[in-house]
Amino acid sequence: MGDKPAVPVQNNSSGLTIYLRLLGYIRVYWLIFIASVLGMWTFSAMEIAFVDLMGYLINVLTVITGETVEGLHIDVGSLDEGLTAKVAKWLVTGGDPLSQSRVVIPIMILIIAVIRGLGFVAGNYGMSYISQSVVDRLRNQVFAKYTRMPTAYFDSQMSGHLVSQLTFHVQQVMGATTDALKVLIREGSLVIGLLIYLFYLNWQLALIFFAVMPVIALIVTVVSKRFRRLSKRIQSAMGDVTQVAHEAVSGFREMRLFGGESYEIRRMETASKHNRQQTLKLSLTEGISTPVVQLLVAAAISTLIWMAMVPDILGTMSTGGFTKFLLTAGLLAKPLRQLTQTNAVIQRGIAAATVLFDTMDSEEELDDGRLEPETVRGHFVFDNVRFRYGSKLEPALQDISFSVEPGKTIALVGSSGSGKSTLISLIPRFYRHEGRILLDGAEINDYRLQNLRRHIALVSQQVTLFNDTVYNNIAYGELSKKSPEQVREAARTANALDFIEALDQGFDTLIGDDGVMLSGGQRQRLAIARAMLKDAPVLILDEATSALDTESERHIQAALEQIMKGRTTFVIAHRLSTVENADRILVLEKGRLVEQGSHGELLAIKGRYAQLHSKQFATETG
Ligand code: ADP
Ligand code: MG
């Protein structure tokens, strides 16, 4: 099996499939969605009704002024044009048209405004509600996915990019689902409504508009592709910005001490410049495409006017009718502009969603084992175990075969880089090994992952602490079920109680980001307390006491020996004196097991172990 490189699945699906998948998230909120779309349609309909009413108003005015100036009779026929006219006529119940219209038209304007406002509120809030919920779900899903990713995934990704997915990418998707969707539906339906209305008013003239539509569609398609390409680069640049910031912030001591300021500033400038350049390119594309579309619309309107002024056509329409037609055509410009502008936002969202979906689709930690024993004895057999990191050609481990009786202690020694940490990281299945590792006679891959890890406590080289209280750092995760007495006892055994009680608020002290308030030795003692509290049958100590001074190490050593009793323990220690009492010592060299035996046996064969031992003995005494 080995270690599969965690290259994300290449998502070749088109923008549309991605957008549809994004919209698939909306399904849950279909009721709100429908209400919101209805709201937007109401808004659009009222917009058109307003135009219609204006046309009616002009007709009324021309008829009335026509009568007063030229003494003509009211042409009732031209007052019948349009939808609002019908409503108005129904409201105007005979009598003097001027005084009646004076009341009816303003009231209708107000009513239209109120309905339009209600539609706007429903449409806007509904869409915001949906998109916020979508983004919320998306973010939580990606985060939850991170918790299930294999170790190799984290090895291959930059943490800055992973963080940026939860912040920047999600934000971009929000743009596509909130504003863009709103504009898409509101302005899109307005455009459709206006076009239908144009057809209704004069279908021959309306055809002119349809002639430019394919050209607009073509422009939008070409521009969309470019938007998406640029957006991908912007998002990646933002990942770089996060990465550099993170490294400089967490490594600020090294930066200051080694004079890395200008190097870091340059790195940030490069990342930021890349971001700026791509964003500017995007703006330029957006800036050009929008006026071009507007120009096309203007050309259509010009043609329209030119055509409409042909006497034959002019004669078939009333002044109000013609005004309505032109107003409607003019109204098309704004939503069309907004739609083309929004396209940039949509494409950004799609580019971001592609990355998020890639993450969601990438392979999780394999967990197909079914064994779930309540507890294990801790009998291990390594049978021809091999392992190679995905990024490396050389195997990190090969031909590793040994076995451990339950409750025994195995020490791993070897020069740095010989594969000790790699070997022990195979036990909790942080990586997939080749060959066989048996725990109590069953392949560790056959255990359920969660179950396997429940049997193992680990204190590693790098102690990770959380920005929480001392108490919660010891009783972390599933350990929070332990009683306060147990937590205290674990801290005492780990020789940590003294320093914890000396803290301002004892166990309730907040230890800051990754435990900045603590010394290396204190951090390590908290990690040991955590492992002790876990009380698991298998214990792994990877340089667990490396940050301790000789004095506290001696204290802890006693405690560790106490806790190692009855547990299968794997110890890696930089000081060979601490491994002398192990039941068996394995000597690793370049990923191979070169010697194994007890301290006495290994000294007797005068091999690699004896060599390491005499070297260290010389440095420690001399
Ligand atoms: P040790 O703990 O004995 O010092 P490790 O097990 O950490 O050694 O490393 C063994 C080898 O594997 C080294 O050559 C190291 O460079 C390599 N290695 C360790 N971790 C990784 C990783 N995450 N990705 C790629 N190579 C790694
Ligand atoms: Mg190591």
Side-chain angles (χ1 to χ4, degrees), residues 416-417 419-422 461 542-543 572:
S416 119
K420 306 181 295 291
S421 297
T422 306
Q461 263 166 315
D542 185 353
E543 314 252 358
I572 304 174

Side-chain angles (χ1 to χ4, degrees), residues 11-13 18 173 228 232 349-359:
N11 209 328
N12 285 323
S13 27
I18 297 284
V173 171
R228 219 173 314 146
K232 266 229 164 86
I350 289 178
T354 314
V355 173
L356 295 179
F357 288 147
D358 277 349
T359 301

Side-chain angles (χ1 to χ4, degrees), residues 213-228 289 293 296 336 339-341 343-344 347:
M213 284 298 164
V215 188
I216 293 181
L218 183 72
I219 293 177
V220 168
T221 317
V222 172
V223 162
S224 298
K225 288 225 175 80
R226 186 170 162 78
F227 278 159
R228 219 173 314 146
S289 67
V293 169
L296 283 168
L336 277 177
L339 281 176
T340 42
Q341 273 174 343
N343 192 25
Q347 300 310 325

Side-chain angles (χ1 to χ4, degrees), residues 155 389 391-392 396 415-422 431:
D155 289 348
Y389 285 104
S391 58
K392 296 256 174 98
S415 49
S416 119
S418 56
K420 306 181 295 291
S421 297
T422 306
Y431 298 96

Side-chain angles (χ1 to χ4, degrees), residues 44-62 78-92 100-116 194 197 200-201 318-321 323-325 327-328 331:
S44 305
M46 287 307 111
E47 199 95 311
I48 295 169
F50 190 75
V51 173
D52 203 60
L53 191 62
M54 286 305 108
Y56 173 71
L57 176 65
I58 289 171
N59 274 348
V60 169
L61 289 179
T62 40
S78 71
L79 285 181
D80 252 351
E81 267 178 28
L83 305 163
T84 44
K86 295 203 170 71
V87 179
K89 254 200 82 193
W90 175 68
L91 289 171
V92 178
Q100 290 250 348
S101 298
R102 234 182 98 200
V103 180
V104 166
I105 292 177
I107 287 177
M108 281 182 71
I109 287 178
L110 287 180
I111 291 174
I112 286 174
V114 167
I115 299 178
R116 191 177 60 175
L194 288 171
Y197 184 62
Y200 164 81
L201 289 176
S318 70
T319 321
T323 314
K324 276 189 218 174
F325 196 88
L327 273 181
T328 312
L331 272 185

Side-chain angles (χ1 to χ4, degrees), residues 55-74:
Y56 173 71
L57 176 65
I58 289 171
N59 274 348
V60 169
L61 289 179
T62 40
V63 167
I64 290 168
T65 50
E67 185 190 45
T68 45
V69 174
E70 292 165 28
L72 289 174
H73 290 292
I74 294 172

